[in-house]
Amino acid sequence: MINLEKLYRYKVSFGFYAHHLTYPQKLDFHPSLIEESFEEDHPAHEYVQRYWELMHELSLDQIQEMYTDIFDFDKDSTLFMTYFKFEDAKERGQMLAKLKVSYEMFGLEMPDTELSDFLPLICEFLYAAEWLGDPRAPQSFQMLIAVLEDGTYHLLKSLEKKDSPYFHLVKGLRETFKACIEQEVPVDGNAG
């Protein structure tokens, strides 16, 4: 079960993830961005700090080339979160449709040029949407986090093999949403 209040507390960091998982621009690396997005007690703080340090050792041209090599030319590192599980099967289309409906339910208009499982778009949705107090949120976010959990797991493994600085960013993203997942306790009180 996802703790929506906790997830809401980390909204600003999802904006950071969205910016850093899209094609890199110079403004993405302004020092105020990381300071505004991650307090010291944030579950991703150490991972994002490491990502930030590694990226600052590179030029913008090097970062852009690395981004393209990793995310645009390697299907094992795709930013499309349902691709790992479904590739181009019919079930992927159904999941994309469900994600799009969720976004629209909470007021995010989907760009016609984007697929709804694009990781930066998911992060942008988590950053921009207002879900607190909405009775539809628990079910919608349970599905969204399941897609994130599955897709980022495979992405993380691929980035680790490449020894990419993006490994630390995606690890931080996973730590952020993992900190918001609560284990359900069985009715009899036994964990099984």
Side-chain angles (χ1 to χ4, degrees):
M1 191 70 171
I2 189 83
N3 181 326
L4 295 175
E5 288 81 18
K6 211 173 200 183
L7 189 69
Y8 196 86
R9 228 182 313 154
Y10 299 133
K11 277 177 72 93
V12 175
S13 61
F14 287 104
F16 181 91
Y17 295 129
H19 282 290
H20 283 263
L21 289 165
T22 54
Y23 188 75
Q25 304 296 324
K26 186 174 184 168
L27 286 175
D28 294 337
F29 295 95
H30 191 278
S32 67
L33 285 177
I34 193 167
E35 293 164 11
E36 294 167 1
S37 303
F38 298 92
E39 294 184 14
E40 296 228 2
D41 65 343
H42 192 290
H45 186 266
E46 71 177 277
Y47 299 105
V48 175
Q49 278 297 139
R50 183 69 184 131
Y51 160 79
W52 192 257
E53 291 163 7
L54 292 169
M55 291 305 236
H56 276 85
E57 295 173 3
L58 304 171
S59 71
L60 182 60
D61 286 341
Q62 289 172 312
I63 293 170
Q64 289 172 334
E65 183 178 339
M66 176 178 52
Y67 180 93
T68 304
D69 288 346
I70 291 172
F71 297 123
D72 292 347
F73 296 128
D74 185 351
K75 72 176 185 164
D76 291 332
S77 303
T78 183
L79 292 172
F80 295 98
M81 295 292 94
T82 61
Y83 183 81
F84 297 104
K85 188 171 189 173
F86 300 116
E87 292 194 6
D88 289 323
K90 180 175 75 172
E91 293 86 359
R92 181 171 184 223
Q94 294 167 343
M95 184 58 73
L96 292 172
K98 288 178 184 178
L99 287 169
K100 183 177 181 181
V101 167
S102 284
Y103 297 158
E104 291 171 350
M105 193 181 340
F106 292 97
L108 181 71
E109 286 194 34
M110 279 280 307
D112 290 336
T113 57
E114 292 291 349
L115 293 176
S116 58
D117 67 339
F118 188 52
L119 183 55
L121 182 67
I122 294 172
C123 292
E124 183 68 27
F125 170 71
L126 290 169
Y127 169 69
E130 290 298 329
W131 67 78
L132 272 187
D134 190 312
R136 304 168 297 179
Q139 185 175 3
S140 294
F141 279 73
Q142 200 65 33
M143 175 190 63
L144 184 70
I145 296 299
V147 167
L148 262 179
E149 172 117 54
D150 191 52
T152 59
Y153 173 81
H154 295 285
L155 177 59
L156 189 68
K157 293 296 175 202
S158 175
L159 294 171
E160 185 175 34
K161 286 180 195 167
K162 293 172 179 38
D163 196 27
S164 168
Y166 284 104
F167 166 84
H168 302 284
L169 184 68
V170 174
K171 177 74 172 164
L173 172 62
R174 286 180 58 80
E175 291 300 315
T176 302
F177 66 76
K178 278 171 55 180
C180 301
I181 296 173
E182 297 176 336
Q183 298 299 319
E184 291 189 34
V185 179
V187 178
D188 65 6
N190 294 325

